[in-house]
Amino acid sequence: MDSRNENSWLAGVMRRQIQGLTCFHLSNSRSVLSTMAVWEVVLGLVMVAGTLGLLFWHLFLTLSPAYSDNYDFSSATSSLVSFFQPALPKFVPLVRGTSIQGLSAVQRFRSHVACFSEGGRWEYNDTVRAFPRNIAGDPHSDRCEVSHVAAMNAVAARQEQEVDLNASQRPEENWNVREALKWEWQTNSSCPLLPFNSNDFCKQIGSKRNVLIVGDSINQQIYWTLLNNLNKEVEDRGSRAQPDEDLVEVCSDVLPGGEGFKLGFVRNDRLSLIPPGVFLSIPEFHEFPWVHYLKQWEIQILVLNRGAHYEADEVYTQALRNALKVSHHDCMSFNAPIQERQTGVNMPYHWADFHAQNLLAKPMVERAGYIYMNVDSMLSLRPDGHVDAGDCLHYCLPGPLDSVVNLFYNILRVVNS
C-alpha cells in the first residue's frame, strides 16, 4: 500500500468513527461504533474523571485545616497519585500543638478525653479533706458561704443544739463545709482521673508557655479557679468585664530557674474577632478584643468557651468557626448532683440548649485539629453548686469548677505522655 492509499484508508476510518460518534450523541441511534472508537470514548471519559478527581482531591488536601502534609497513602493509591501529581501533599489527622498524629492515635486520644469528661459520675465523699481557698477574688462566692451559714443555722435550730459555724476542720460526722463540696467526679477504671497536683500541673505546662483564657463570666471563674488551685493570690478585680491588661505569673517557684508561665483572661462572650481598641457592650454581651494578645503575650495555650450567652445555632457556629480560624432549673431546689441533664423549653440561661450546641462545636473543633474538652456533661449535673437563688449561672468557689481544672490537668498528662 502506497502512502497515498494508506492516508486515504486512515482518513476513512477516522471519518467513520466521527460519524458514528455524531449519530450516537445527537440521535441516540444504534449506530455501530467501531471497537476502537468505543474504547477511545471510554478511555477519554476515564481520563477526564480521573483528572477532575485528582484535582478535587488536591484542593481538599490543600484547603482542609485538620490535616498535615505527612500522610502515607496505600501503595496503590500512592502509585496512581505520584503518576499524575508527584507533588500532592500528604495528609494525616492530628492534634495541633502535640505529637499526636495519625487516625488511630487521634481517635484513641479523643476517646480517652471523652472518657474523662463524659463517662464519669458524681459520687458522695464525706472524708475530711482540704479545698482550695477563694483567694483570687471571685466576687460571687461570698454569697455561697452566707447561704451555707444560713443552712447550718437552720440545721442547728432543728436539732436544738449549737453548731460551731466557724470550724474549718472538724470530726468527720460534723464536718462543716458546704454539702456541694462533698461530691467528687469519678471516672471508670479505663481512664482513672488523678487528683489535681499543682506542682505537676506546672510541669505539664512548662516554662514560658503562657496560657490565655477567653470567654464569658464562667470562663472567668475557671480562670479564678485555676489561680486558686495554684494558690496564687491576685488583686481583687471583682466582676468587671474588662480584660486583665497584665498576665499573672505562676509556677515560678516550681519550674527550673524560677521561670514559670503567665496566665491571663479576656472577657468576650461571643469570641468575636473585633479589632484592638474596640469594646462592644450591650446588656447581654461583653466583647473585648483578644486576638492581638496571642502575639503580644506570646500565648502557647488558648482556652476558649462560647455558650452561656445563647444565640441561634447559625450565629453560634459562625462565631466558633471564625474563632477557630485564628442544665439547672431553680438551682436552689437541689442539694446534690442530679443524674441526667435537664431538658425543656424556656429554661433559664438556655440550659437545655447547651448540649445541642456542644454537638455542633465538637466536630468543628476536632476537624480543625484542636482538643475538645467537654465540661457540660459534668456541670449540667451540678445545679447544687451554684451561688444562690438569685444567681443560678455562676458557681461557688471552691466547687464543681475545681473538677474542670482537674480535667484540664489530666488532659495535659495524656498529651505529654
Side-chain angles (χ1 to χ4, degrees):
M1 181 183 296
D2 61 26
S3 60
R4 286 177 301 174
N5 291 337
E6 183 177 355
N7 291 337
S8 176
W9 178 81
L10 287 173
V13 171
M14 294 179 65
R15 223 176 8 253
R16 287 194 297 275
Q17 291 173 3
I18 293 171
Q19 289 171 353
L21 279 172
T22 303
C23 292
F24 178 77
H25 285 293
L26 297 181
S27 65
N28 198 26
S29 71
R30 292 177 179 263
S31 301
V32 179
L33 296 176
S34 69
T35 302
M36 184 180 298
V38 171
W39 281 110
E40 285 175 352
V41 172
V42 172
L43 182 59
L45 292 176
V46 170
M47 289 294 290
V48 171
T51 303
L52 290 175
L54 288 171
L55 174 62
F56 288 127
W57 180 246
H58 177 72
L59 288 174
F60 168 75
L61 292 177
T62 302
L63 298 176
S64 176
Y67 298 102
S68 73
D69 57 358
N70 55 355
Y71 177 75
D72 291 328
F73 288 101
S74 65
S75 58
T77 306
S78 296
S79 299
L80 181 62
V81 170
S82 62
F83 178 80
F84 290 106
Q85 177 56 275
L88 271 180
K90 304 170 185 178
F91 85 144
V92 62
L94 55 81
V95 177
R96 294 180 184 272
T98 76
S99 61
I100 301 172
Q101 295 189 5
L103 182 59
S104 60
V106 169
Q107 288 178 338
R108 284 197 305 271
F109 169 74
R110 289 175 177 163
S111 295
H112 204 70
V113 172
C115 184
F116 282 153
S117 57
E118 301 171 30
R121 62 202 174 279
W122 290 100
E123 292 188 355
Y124 191 77
N125 180 2
D126 199 26
T127 304
V128 176
R129 57 194 182 276
F131 291 99
R133 293 186 301 120
N134 177 30
I135 59 177
D138 170 38
H140 305 284
S141 293
D142 290 342
R143 285 157 45 200
C144 299
E145 300 308 323
V146 171
S147 300
H148 170 64
V149 170
M152 291 295 291
N153 275 323
V155 170
R158 286 196 303 269
Q159 295 178 348
E160 296 184 351
Q161 63 183 14
E162 290 187 7
V163 175
D164 182 3
L165 299 178
N166 297 316
S168 58
Q169 295 294 327
R170 308 178 48 161
E172 186 171 347
E173 63 272 14
N174 292 318
W175 189 28
N176 179 27
V177 295
R178 288 180 276 113
E179 280 296 301
L181 289 175
K182 298 179 182 179
W183 294 85
E184 290 184 316
W185 183 255
Q186 296 289 339
T187 55
N188 59 50
S189 58
S190 65
C191 57
L193 198 65
L194 300 177
F196 183 82
N197 182 306
S198 59
N199 285 358
D200 192 44
F201 180 88
C202 294
K203 294 173 184 176
Q204 296 297 326
I205 296 288
S207 297
K208 299 183 178 180
R209 297 187 68 201
N210 297 339
V211 180
L212 179 63
I213 299 175
V214 181
D216 57 14
S217 56
I218 299 298
N219 247 24
Q220 189 171 29
Q221 283 200 297
I222 291 175
Y223 163 71
W224 282 322
T225 301
L226 184 51
L227 290 172
N228 288 341
N229 277 268
L230 295 175
N231 200 32
K232 181 68 176 180
E233 192 165 358
V234 298
E235 176 189 353
D236 184 354
R237 292 176 172 84
S239 59
R240 295 179 300 166
Q242 300 173 8
D244 295 333
E245 290 298 338
D246 297 315
L247 299 181
V248 177
E249 178 88 21
V250 294
C251 296
S252 56
D253 57 334
V254 175
L255 295 175
E259 292 187 343
F261 60 88
K262 295 181 179 180
L263 179 66
F265 169 78
V266 176
R267 176 77 181 266
N268 191 306
D269 300 334
R270 285 171 161 161
L271 300 182
S272 50
L273 309 181
I274 58 179
V278 175
F279 166 57
L280 304 177
S281 179
I282 57 178
E284 295 84 7
F285 299 98
H286 296 292
E287 299 171 78
F288 280 93
W290 57 277
V291 176
H292 67 291
Y293 287 131
L294 300 180
K295 181 177 181 181
Q296 179 178 327
W297 290 341
E298 299 180 338
I299 298 301
Q300 298 294 311
I301 298 176
L302 177 65
V303 181
L304 303 176
N305 176 45
R306 168 75 168 84
H309 295 261
Y310 185 84
E311 291 184 290
D313 288 354
E314 59 272 15
V315 179
Y316 166 81
T317 54
Q318 185 59 49
L320 187 56
R321 186 177 293 112
N322 290 341
L324 289 176
K325 289 178 181 177
V326 274
S327 299
H328 322 306
H329 191 71
D330 181 18
C331 58
M332 287 298 102
S333 64
F334 298 92
N335 57 11
I338 57 179
Q339 299 302 310
E340 295 182 359
R341 70 175 73 248
Q342 297 183 85
T343 59
V345 296
N346 299 323
M347 295 188 70
Y349 306 105
H350 286 270
W351 287 319
D353 300 307
F354 288 176
H355 179 60
Q357 292 201 332
N358 285 340
L359 294 179
L360 295 173
K362 182 177 181 179
M364 293 172 59
V365 172
E366 293 183 344
R367 257 198 316 270
Y370 299 106
I371 298 172
Y372 175 80
M373 186 173 75
N374 182 348
V375 299
D376 181 59
S377 292
M378 303 163 65
L379 298 182
S380 64
L381 305 180
R382 295 305 309 271
D384 59 313
H386 288 300
V387 174
D388 56 26
D391 186 353
C392 286
L393 174 65
H394 299 100
Y395 290 90
C396 295
L397 305 186
L401 294 183
D402 292 291
S403 293
V404 174
V405 169
N406 194 32
L407 176 63
F408 184 21
Y409 163 64
N410 276 264
I411 290 175
L412 284 172
R413 286 186 57 87
V414 174
V415 167
N416 292 332
S417 65

